[in-house]
Amino acid sequence: MGTHTRISHGVPLAPMTTLGLGGPASVLVELQDSTDFPEFVELVGTCPGNPVCLGSGSNVLVSDLGCDSPVLRLHNRGLRMGAADTEGRVLVEVQAGHLLTDLVETAIAEGLSGMEMLVGIPGTVGATPIQNVGAYGQEVSDTLVEVRAWDWVLGRHVTLSARECGLGHRSSVFKRSRRWTLLSLVFALRRSELSAPVTYGAVAGVLDIPVGGRVPLAEAAEAVLTVRQRKGMVLGCTETEGRSVGSVFLSPEVGPADARRLGARNAPVNSFPDGSTRVSASWLIQEAGFGLNSPIVDGVRISSLHPTLVADAGASATAFREAIEIVLQRVLRCTGVRLTVEIDLLGTWPTAGGPGMPGRA
């Protein structure tokens, strides 16, 4: 392999995830430079199973049994900014292993709008299109132009436009698929001293402005960080709630009848950019009787700050998956709405996913 590539065997994956759960990787390949990727392709041909890419591990639950498929970690970093075009857009090419937090901070420092509301979200840039990462009114789909990837079906490099990525609400053609490994991405940001309109009441409240108002980029980002920290949704902001994947569940889509029924119960029901109508997953979890800090199974509980699952000492991946299923079933029973799991399962699991769980990854 190339001089910037490291191959290891039997490496624990738990420390590479924010949950800190799961077993080892049979083969772990770490690439510092995407130019070495063709050699990784050759290696995969000698290993069982399709390869899986692991970024910062902030949206992943690794099986206690570990992963037999080759696991790839891309550490390729760097970004390149072009000149502004006649529409004021600046194309920014970013390597897949670059940290999203760094990209957002760089954009703000350069006076580029389009990502300021994504501040504080962990993970690599290459992971962002997979579930169309978004928060507080902005999504990757707002700025993504194209991605460069390896297509394992065609056996070659491909370039996919944002439209071909099929970006929806926390979804894309990449979600639950191993066909592509993303290597670099291009975003279109805009020169602006002011943020996008602040559409979330909690953020507007911190800023003391009306919803829809605009403020300097750095001020908007700081307000978003404040709101996220109050929920324990910034890594390292709290010692007791740190082992999480942020949002375990998506806000599920509901039809008109359910929207009216839940609205009558004062549920937060909102329209999303993809045309869907969704009800807050946090509200559904609380409505099903799960209070903050309540235990679910040994080592897994509801966070004391926000209705999401966190892991404590003694937790296992199997227990965390069991807790997910418990929440799914009680929410369905109490509200009539089926939650959708947002996180990805990685590795070999002893049984297939339950009614609401994704399959093996």
Side-chain angles (χ1 to χ4, degrees), residues 55 96 123-133 182 185:
T124 59
V125 174
T128 59
I130 295 174
Q131 61 182 52
N132 188 20
V133 165
L182 274 59
L185 306 87

Side-chain angles (χ1 to χ4, degrees), residues 99-109 112 114-123 128 133-140 195 203 207 216-229 232-235:
L99 295 179
L100 176 61
T101 52
D102 182 81
L103 172 60
V104 173
E105 290 170 4
T106 300
I108 292 171
L112 297 173
M115 290 189 160
E116 59 274 12
M117 306 299 180
L118 305 185
V119 66
I121 298 177
T128 59
V133 165
Y136 302 105
Q138 286 182 338
E139 294 180 328
V140 165
S195 69
V203 179
L207 291 166
L217 293 171
E219 291 183 21
E222 190 62 33
V224 169
L225 274 178
T226 298
V227 173
R228 292 182 67 88
Q229 287 168 343
M233 303 289 274
V234 177
L235 291 179

Side-chain angles (χ1 to χ4, degrees), residues 124-207:
T124 59
V125 174
T128 59
I130 295 174
Q131 61 182 52
N132 188 20
V133 165
Y136 302 105
Q138 286 182 338
E139 294 180 328
V140 165
S141 58
D142 297 335
T143 54
L144 186 68
V145 175
E146 65 183 27
V147 303
R148 180 172 174 268
W150 179 265
D151 187 323
W152 292 97
V153 172
L154 299 179
R156 60 179 175 86
H157 288 100
V158 296
T159 298
L160 301 177
S161 68
R163 180 182 294 274
E164 290 172 311
C165 293
L167 303 174
H169 180 71
R170 305 299 170 264
S171 67
S172 70
V173 297
F174 311 117
K175 188 74 172 174
R176 315 270 186 239
S177 171
R178 300 242 198 116
R179 175 170 176 173
W180 299 274
T181 298
L182 274 59
L183 301 174
S184 64
L185 306 87
V186 176
F187 298 92
L189 306 181
R190 292 188 178 276
R191 293 276 178 209
S192 175
E193 294 181 359
L194 297 180
S195 69
V198 177
T199 58
Y200 275 67
V203 179
V206 170
L207 291 166

Side-chain angles (χ1 to χ4, degrees), residues 9 62 78 85 118 138 143 146 275 295 300 320 332-333 336 338:
H9 300 272
V62 178
D85 62 17
L118 305 185
Q138 286 182 338
T143 54
E146 65 183 27
V300 185
F320 200 90
L332 179 60
R333 187 168 62 250
R338 186 182 300 278

